[in-house]
Amino acid sequence: RHGITVKAKRSGKIKAIVQAIAGLLIVMGPVFDVWTGDWIYAALSWLVALVTAASAVEYVKAALSAAAAAAD
């Protein structure tokens, strides 16, 4: 359908910030993994995956609501 929009959500902005910080930390990993070990890469990856999934759920809900409202 055309003309259905979904506004940007706070979760999308949080997701972008988490992804940016995690990406930076992963790129800088060799600097600090002496203290943290390799587990930090998996932890950051899981954090990004969970935040992304939560954001996707919110956007899908909003899109379904917008589509239902447009159908009425």
Side-chain angles (χ1 to χ4, degrees):
R1 295 182 185 206
H2 298 286
I4 297 174
T5 61
V6 176
K7 292 182 181 180
K9 303 285 183 196
R10 184 176 300 229
S11 65
K13 294 172 182 163
I14 291 170
K15 176 193 65 83
I17 292 168
V18 169
Q19 287 176 337
I21 292 171
L24 180 63
L25 291 174
I26 288 172
V27 168
M28 294 179 56
V31 173
F32 62 84
D33 70 357
V34 174
W35 299 288
T36 63
D38 288 340
W39 66 268
I40 194 73
Y41 302 114
L44 288 170
S45 296
W46 276 107
L47 175 66
V48 168
L50 292 173
V51 170
T52 300
S55 176
V57 167
E58 185 175 6
Y59 275 95
V60 169
K61 283 182 178 178
L64 292 174
S65 293
D72 289 339

